Amino acid sequence: MTDTTTVNPGIAHGLYTEGDPVADTKAPPGPIADKWTTRKFEAALVNPANRRKLDVIIVGTGLAGGAAAATLGEGGYNVKVFCFQDTPRRAHSIAAQGGINAAKNYKEDGDSTYRLFYDTVKGGDYRARESNVYRLAEVSANIIDQCVAQGVPFAREYGGLLDNRSFGGVQVSRTFYARGQTGQQLLIGAYQALERQVAAGTVEQYTRHEMLELVVVDGKARGIIARDLVTGEIETHLADAVVLASGGYGNVFYLSTNAMGSNVTASWRAHRKGAYMANPCYTQIHPTCIPVAGDHQSKLTLMSESLRNDGRIWVPKNRDDCDKDPRQIPEADRDYYLERIYPSFGNLVPRDIASRQAKNVCDEGRGVGPMVGDFRRGVYLDFSEAIDRLGKAAVEAKYGNLFDMYAQITGENPYEVPMRIYPAVHYVMGGLWVDYDLQSTIPGLFVTGEANFSDHGANRLGASALMQGLADSYFVLPNTIRDYLSKGPFAPISADEPSVVAARTSVEQRTAKLLAINGERSVDSFHKELGNVMWEYCGMERSEEGLLKAIDLIRGLREEFWRNVRVLGAADTLNQSLEKAGRVADFLELGELMCIDALHRRESCGGHFRAESQTEDGEALRHDDEYLYVAAWEFEGGDGDGEMSAPVLHKEDLVYEAIELKQRSYK
Ligand SMILES: Cc1cc2nc3c(=O)[nH]c(=O)nc-3n(C[C@H](O)[C@H](O)[C@H](O)COP(=O)(O)OP(=O)(O)OC[C@H]3O[C@@H](n4cnc5c(N)ncnc54)[C@H](O)[C@@H]3O)c2cc1C
C-alpha cells in the first residue's frame, strides 16, 4: 500500500508545483437529469442574420470535427475546417471498427439513460465528471436517429430493426454497428453532411493544412497559424472562436493502433498557449490487438472488441504447452482465465482489466506465439465454439472483414486456428481540459472528440468514443458555442496585430530551426526511442522508480533531438520529414508531462496501474481520499527546444451525487 503521508515525489523532485483548484463553472445546479435541459435553455441565442457575421475555425474533420463543421455550417455560421489529410474521409475515425453505444433499450434487456451513465462512470473507475457523462448518455439515442437519417447502414436484424451487440464492461446489448466498419460508415455520414455545407458555401474546407499554432488575442482564441503541406506556405486564419477536434495522442508510444498521422500538435500548441491538459497519463491499452511481431513495425492493428462477444480468450494451463498447436491442447488443459476470474462479465470485462490479465498470464510464462525477449506475448482468441454453435457463415457475416484483415496480416486462418492477440496502445482518455460547455481554459477555444479529456475517466468503455465525439459535435457544442458567440462578433483583428505576427513568426522560426540542425539521427529513430521509454515505464504498469527514470530519459532524448535530428528537404515544398519532426518534438514534451502526471497519481485507477497500489488479488486500488480529482496541468514556460519549466497542477474535485463511489468489481 502506498505511503500517503510523505510529500508527493513529483513535488519533492521539483517536477511540478501546485496552483489554485479549477472548477467546471458551466454545469447548472439541480438534479442531474435536468442539467442539460437547463443549460440549453439558459444558453443565449444568436439570431440567424447575426450568425452570418460570425466566423468559426474547426481543426479536424474526423467524426468530431466533421460533425461540428456540418452542424455549425447548417446553423448559418461561417466555418473554416482544416485537416492534414488529402480528404476528410481519411481521418483516423475511419478506422473505428466495432460500434457505437446508445441507450435505446431495443433489446428490452434493462438498458436506460441512467444505466449507460452508471456503466460509463464505473467503467472509468470513478474518475469522470458526473454531469458530462449523464449528458452523454442522454443524447446518445439522438445520435443513432441522426445517423440513420443520414443513411448510415447500421446492421439490421432479419425483421429490419437495428441490431445491437455487447461491448466490455456492460451486461446489456447497446452497441450499434455496421459490420466491422462502423467508423467508416459514420464518417461517410458526417462527410456528406459536411460536403453539403461546402457546396452551400457555409463551410470552407482546407485539406492538407496543418495547424501549427493557436492565435490568442487579449486572452481569447482568435485563430490559427497553419502550414499548407503542399506548398509549405505559412497562413494566418482568424475567427471569433476556434474548435479543436484534432483527435488523440496515442502515437506518443510510437506503436499504437492509431493512424500513423495522429499526433498531439494542435492540442499541445494550445496547451503551450494556456489551455490546461487534463489527466494526460490516462491511456487505454486495448486487449485485442495483433501482437508485436518484431522490431520492424511502425503500426499495430486492432482486432475489434466486438470479437469478444463470441470469441473466447484462453492460454494453456501448463507452460510446456505454450509452443504446441492450440488445436492439440485438450479443453481440460486450457485456462479461460477471464471467464474463471470474472464469471459475471467473462470475456467482456472492461479493456483495462482484460489487458492487465493478459499481461499477467504472459508474465507467468503462459503466453503463446513467438518469444519476444524472455516471454511469449500473446493469448488465444478462439472462435471454434462459436463456429460450432452458430455455423461459419454466421460468424463470417458478423466479423468477416476482421477475420480477413487478421489472415492478411498474420498469414493464419482464424476460422481454423485461434487468433493470437496482445494489448496495445489504442486511445487516450486524457486531453485538453474542458468545462461542461466543452470550452478550454482559453476563452473561445472549444475542444471536442478524443482531443478533450471529458467523459471517460481513467478507462473508456468500448464503443463510447464514437458516441462521445458525435454527441459533443452534433448536439452539445452547437448549443454551448452559441452562448459564447452571442457575445460577438468580437473586435476585428488584423494579421498585423502583434500577437498574430508573433504566432506566425514563431512557426516560421521553428520550421527553420528544425531544418537547420542537420544532425545525424532520423526523426523516426527519436520517435521510436521515445515510444519504447513510454511503453516500458508509462505503459501497462507504472512505478515511482520507473517514472523517475523515464523523465530523465525523455529529457535527455529531447535535448539530443534539438541538437542532432536530421530533417531532410526544404520548408517550401511537400516535406513529410519536416511534418513528422514538428510532431515528434511535441510528443517529446507531452511524454514528460504524461510521466509527471502518472508519477504524481500514487493510486491505481482504470488504465493507470501503479505497481505500488494494488489489492491483494492484483486489481487496481484507488485512493479516493487523496485522488478524487481531475489533474489539470498548466504549461509554465519553456523555449521549445529542450528546457521546460515545472508545470502547475490544478485540481478539479470530482463530486459524485448521483452515483455511489465503490471499488469496481466485475466478478
Ligand atoms: C483501430 C481503432 C478502432 C476503433 N474502434 C472504435 C469503435 O469501434 N468504437 C468507438 O467508439 N471508438 C473506436 N475507436 C476510437 C475512435 O475511433 C476515436 O476515438 C475517434 O474516431 C476519434 O475521432 P476524432 O474526430 O476525435 O479524431 P480523429 O478521427 O483522429 O480526427 C482528427 C482530425 O484532426 C485533424 N488534425 C489533427 N491535428 C491537426 C492539425 N495540427 N492541423 C490540422 N488538422 C489536424 C486530422 O487531420 C483529422 O481530420 C477506435 C480507435 C482505433 C484506433
Side-chain angles (χ1 to χ4, degrees):
M1 174 90 85
T2 317
D3 176 8
T4 53
T5 57
T6 54
V7 177
N8 196 297
I11 292 195
H13 287 267
L15 293 170
Y16 73 92
T17 59
E18 211 171 308
D20 295 337
V22 66
D24 161 31
T25 52
K26 302 282 177 46
I32 197 149
D34 297 342
K35 282 182 192 287
W36 181 227
T37 307
T38 309
R39 180 68 192 120
K40 275 192 291 186
F41 185 72
E42 285 176 350
L45 300 178
V46 180
N47 97 41
N50 286 343
R51 289 180 216 159
R52 287 194 285 276
K53 300 176 197 151
L54 290 159
D55 301 328
V56 180
I57 284 175
I58 298 175
V59 180
T61 59
L63 281 172
T71 311
L72 295 181
E74 175 90 40
Y77 301 96
N78 292 317
V79 178
K80 283 185 180 178
V81 70
F82 295 79
C83 69
F84 58 73
Q85 291 92 348
D86 55 350
T87 156
R89 285 188 50 187
R90 283 197 219 282
H92 158 70
S93 290
I94 201 171
Q97 301 170 350
I100 174 166
N101 289 328
K104 287 272 201 186
N105 195 26
Y106 279 177
K107 297 272 184 192
E108 285 291 346
D109 55 359
D111 203 5
S112 62
T113 298
Y114 188 84
R115 192 175 297 282
L116 174 51
F117 159 61
Y118 174 85
D119 286 346
T120 308
V121 170
K122 176 183 170 192
D125 216 353
Y126 303 92
R127 290 293 176 264
R129 190 192 285 153
E130 256 193 6
S131 54
N132 285 50
V133 182
Y134 192 89
R135 175 178 63 192
L136 175 67
E138 191 180 336
V139 302
S140 66
N142 302 356
I143 300 171
I144 303 304
D145 298 344
Q146 160 100 354
C147 296
V148 168
Q150 287 173 345
V152 172
F154 285 120
R156 290 179 183 264
E157 291 172 343
Y158 185 71
L161 300 175
L162 297 184
D163 195 15
N164 296 140
R165 55 191 179 198
S166 289
F167 263 58
V170 305
Q171 290 176 310
V172 295
S173 273
R174 63 161 74 101
T175 306
F176 295 78
Y177 65 101
R179 252 190 164 188
Q181 308 173 341
T182 314
Q184 179 174 359
Q185 299 305 331
L186 291 171
L187 192 62
I188 291 171
Y191 172 72
Q192 66 188 10
L194 170 62
E195 293 310 304
R196 185 166 164 263
Q197 294 309 317
V198 172
T202 59
V203 177
E204 249 179 281
Q205 185 171 283
Y206 293 79
T207 57
R208 290 193 165 192
H209 275 68
E210 181 161 29
M211 166 192 164
L212 293 176
E213 195 51 274
L214 181 73
V215 173
V216 179
V217 181
D218 294 335
K220 294 194 176 83
R222 294 301 304 270
I224 62 168
I225 308 295
R227 179 167 179 270
D228 179 327
L229 298 180
V230 179
T231 64
E233 194 183 334
I234 306 291
E235 301 171 0
T236 303
H237 296 270
L238 302 172
D240 293 290
V242 177
V243 179
L244 294 189
S246 45
Y249 52 77
N251 279 348
V252 65
F253 289 85
Y254 185 71
L255 285 181
S256 91
T257 63
N258 289 4
M260 293 286 289
S262 297
N263 67 85
V264 77
T265 288
S267 295
W268 194 254
R269 296 284 114 197
H271 174 59
R272 286 178 132 264
K273 282 281 174 83
Y276 293 179
M277 182 65 93
N279 301 330
C281 80
Y282 289 169
T283 308
Q284 175 154 90
I285 302 196
H286 197 301
T288 38
C289 303
I290 299 181
V292 176
D295 229 12
H296 57 283
Q297 284 165 293
S298 50
K299 161 102 187 71
L300 296 177
T301 308
L302 174 78
M303 298 314 296
S304 165
E305 179 165 303
S306 60
L307 294 169
R308 287 198 270 145
N309 274 272
D310 289 305
R312 297 180 70 197
I313 295 178
W314 63 276
V315 288
K317 281 185 181 162
N318 311 313
R319 292 174 193 198
D320 297 343
D321 288 346
C322 289
D323 55 358
K324 282 192 184 153
D325 180 335
R327 291 167 294 188
Q328 309 302 324
I329 301 175
E331 272 301 308
D333 291 340
R334 299 175 177 194
D335 180 12
Y336 295 91
Y337 56 90
L338 291 178
E339 297 173 31
R340 172 172 59 79
I341 307 172
Y342 307 101
S344 298
F345 284 71
N347 293 298
L348 280 174
V349 287
R351 294 172 178 178
D352 54 333
I353 291 176
S355 290
R356 216 154 36 240
Q357 292 298 356
K359 177 177 184 302
N360 289 346
V361 291
C362 292
D363 287 351
E364 283 166 22
R366 294 194 291 137
V368 297
M371 297 290 276
V372 179
D374 296 338
F375 293 97
R376 296 176 200 279
R377 297 271 170 221
V379 300
Y380 290 125
L381 176 62
D382 192 341
F383 281 83
S384 53
E385 193 252 4
I387 291 171
D388 286 348
R389 179 166 42 88
L390 304 168
K392 186 180 167 203
V395 170
E396 195 172 352
K398 270 190 182 172
Y399 310 114
N401 70 312
L402 301 172
F403 276 51
D404 289 350
M405 199 162 78
Y406 183 87
Q408 278 171 27
I409 292 173
T410 63
E412 290 170 14
N413 179 352
Y415 292 101
E416 290 179 0
V417 191
M419 290 181 183
R420 280 179 297 108
I421 52 166
Y422 195 69
V425 171
H426 177 67
Y427 179 90
V428 287
M429 282 72 70
L432 291 176
W433 185 90
V434 287
D435 63 15
Y436 189 66
D437 277 3
L438 304 180
Q439 187 168 209
S440 73
T441 44
I442 302 177
L445 179 70
F446 292 77
V447 191
T448 70
E450 192 172 339
N452 75 27
F453 89 105
S454 79
D455 298 8
H456 308 297
N459 172 61
R460 175 174 72 78
L461 291 183
S464 56
L466 302 183
M467 170 174 70
Q468 181 226 322
L470 292 181
D472 281 1
S473 296
Y474 280 135
F475 299 105
V476 178
L477 179 81
N479 288 289
T480 59
I481 200 171
R482 189 188 67 224
D483 186 55
Y484 179 79
L485 290 170
S486 70
K487 300 174 193 92
F490 301 103
I493 44 173
S494 89
D496 301 333
E497 180 103 14
S499 40
V500 182
V501 174
R504 189 187 170 103
T505 309
S506 75
V507 170
E508 287 163 351
Q509 287 174 344
R510 188 173 148 96
T511 305
K513 195 165 185 173
L514 284 167
L515 286 164
I517 297 169
N518 207 14
E520 290 178 350
R521 279 186 69 177
S522 69
V523 177
D524 274 353
S525 80
F526 282 100
H527 192 181
K528 202 168 181 176
E529 190 171 335
L530 172 68
N532 285 339
V533 172
M534 296 300 293
W535 178 250
E536 186 65 29
Y537 302 111
C538 197
M540 272 207 275
E541 187 171 309
R542 296 130 183 223
S543 69
E544 181 171 326
E545 194 191 349
L547 288 162
L548 285 169
K549 184 169 177 190
I551 292 165
D552 270 353
L553 291 171
I554 294 169
R555 287 182 172 178
L557 198 60
R558 204 167 58 227
E559 184 279 323
E560 193 195 338
F561 177 90
W562 284 102
R563 182 170 44 77
N564 196 25
V565 73
R566 186 173 182 82
V567 184
L568 300 171
D572 56 356
T573 56
L574 177 73
N575 186 341
Q576 292 194 321
S577 174
L578 179 62
E579 290 167 30
K580 271 195 214 164
R583 295 170 191 171
V584 171
D586 289 335
F587 279 143
L588 282 163
E589 297 188 2
L590 167 76
E592 177 174 328
L593 184 65
M594 289 172 72
C595 292
I596 293 174
D597 186 39
L599 177 71
H600 111 280
R601 192 171 281 278
R602 291 192 298 167
E603 66 165 350
S604 296
C605 52
H608 170 62
F609 191 78
R610 281 288 299 256
E612 303 92 336
S613 183
Q614 44 185 309
T615 62
E616 273 171 12
D617 46 2
E619 303 286 353
L621 180 63
R622 297 196 318 261
H623 295 296
D624 294 336
D625 49 338
E626 274 193 286
Y627 293 104
L628 192 58
Y629 61 79
V630 172
W633 296 93
E634 181 183 2
F635 187 78
E636 257 299 281
D639 57 9
D641 52 1
E643 284 296 309
M644 283 202 313
S645 304
V648 184
L649 170 66
H650 300 270
K651 297 176 180 172
E652 179 199 336
D653 286 335
L654 291 168
V655 181
Y656 289 97
E657 288 169 345
I659 283 183
E660 188 195 344
L661 272 170
K662 287 187 191 147
Q663 194 65 32
R664 235 168 24 140
S665 169
Y666 291 93
K667 292 189 170 165

